[in-house]
Amino acid sequence: MATKDNQADYLESYHDFLDETEVNRLGLMSNGTWDLDPRRLGIMLSRYKFVSKMFAGKQNVIEIGCGDAFGSRIVKQEVEQLTVADIEPRFIADVKQRNSKKWPLIPIVHDILEKPLDAKYDAAYSLDVLEHIPADQEDRFISNITSSLSSDGIVILGMPSLESQQYASPASKAGHINCKSGLDFKALCNKHFKHVFLFSMNDEVVHTGYYPMAHYLIALCIK
């Protein structure tokens, strides 16, 4: 049975924890999501959790198209070093400003359509980016990612399904110029990788269900 002394010790310890914990803020994009559609932020973070579990133990990982990199810390929990890259300098400046000493990221500005990364990585992932890439540039996008990997590198690509777009907001539809159905997405990945494992996703749940009923698609690709 808890005593008053035990309760007092717990409260003191908890207050110390609160005083010592770093105060964090949302990134530029995640702040907007939290304001407009809080539930969507939880769904977004679950995608990063999937990546973190697939890449657990990797030494040197790159995220392509990180945006504000708010969810990237979840991946950093499981990997030794995480570089986050985006074409937009404003996002990278925001990431640098919010960078955590406990969960440090390596933010860089880079256009993956222009050229591969200078370094070689064990693994790469890109979530919610491919649907913004014109179809005539999608092969270059994936090829430059694979050229940035070591010989046995792994890639995870995630994008909304074509079928989901009837439920998307007008703003999302405007930017989603290259969504795909599951089999078309897998066919694209098969052009660049020896092995492709395609998953469906609805809200926070990743599964192997029927692709046309998936809201989101995730491809785990091996060179």
Side-chain angles (χ1 to χ4, degrees):
M1 181 179 294
T3 65
K4 289 185 178 180
D5 288 341
N6 289 338
Q7 292 176 339
D9 290 342
Y10 168 76
L11 288 174
E12 182 178 357
S13 175
Y14 188 66
H15 290 159
D16 290 342
F17 168 77
L18 294 177
D19 291 338
E20 295 168 3
T21 300
E22 179 183 3
V23 176
N24 295 272
R25 66 175 177 83
L26 297 173
L28 293 174
M29 294 178 67
S30 51
N31 181 72
T33 301
W34 186 245
D35 183 62
L36 295 173
D37 187 1
R39 180 170 48 201
R40 184 171 177 270
L41 188 61
I43 295 171
M44 181 272 287
L45 293 176
S46 67
R47 297 169 188 166
Y48 281 87
K49 181 186 176 184
F50 177 83
V51 173
S52 74
K53 292 302 182 181
M54 295 300 101
F55 286 173
K58 293 295 182 183
Q59 296 298 304
N60 193 16
V61 177
I62 177 81
E63 177 179 0
I64 304 297
C66 65
D68 66 13
F70 182 73
S72 309
R73 184 181 297 190
I74 297 173
V75 179
K76 180 63 181 74
Q77 278 188 279
E78 298 285 355
V79 305
E80 183 66 27
Q81 181 173 284
L82 178 59
T83 300
V84 292
D86 200 276
I87 191 175
E88 174 53 61
R90 185 180 177 188
F91 285 147
I92 297 304
D94 177 58
V95 175
K96 290 179 178 179
Q97 187 178 29
R98 292 182 293 103
N99 214 350
S100 166
K101 294 180 180 178
K102 184 177 182 180
W103 309 107
L105 306 173
I106 303 172
I108 62 171
V109 176
H110 183 81
D111 182 359
I112 197 65
L113 287 176
E114 180 180 333
K115 63 179 182 178
L117 280 302
D118 295 330
K120 295 292 184 180
Y121 298 88
D122 303 326
Y125 66 98
S126 184
L127 303 175
D128 298 289
V129 178
L130 183 56
E131 68 270 21
H132 300 286
I133 304 296
D136 61 355
Q137 298 183 49
E138 63 188 17
D139 287 308
R140 186 194 311 170
F141 173 78
I142 297 177
S143 179
N144 283 349
I145 293 177
T146 59
S147 296
S148 306
L149 298 177
S150 57
S151 59
D152 58 348
I154 303 175
V155 175
I156 291 178
L157 300 173
M159 68 184 307
S161 68
L162 180 61
E163 291 80 3
S164 73
Q165 292 309 286
Q166 62 179 306
Y167 307 108
S169 67
S172 292
K173 288 181 180 180
H176 291 179
I177 59 175
N178 193 21
C179 290
K180 297 182 183 297
S181 296
L183 293 180
D184 290 336
F185 184 31
K186 187 171 185 179
L188 171 64
C189 294
N190 277 331
K191 293 166 59 178
H192 297 271
F193 301 96
K194 185 176 181 180
H195 303 288
V196 177
F197 304 93
L198 187 62
F199 297 88
S200 298
M201 189 173 187
N202 293 88
D203 288 347
E204 301 90 349
V205 180
V206 180
H207 53 87
T208 56
Y210 186 51
Y211 298 144
M213 294 183 68
H215 183 85
Y216 197 82
L217 300 166
I218 297 178
L220 174 62
C221 310
I222 303 172
K223 290 178 70 175

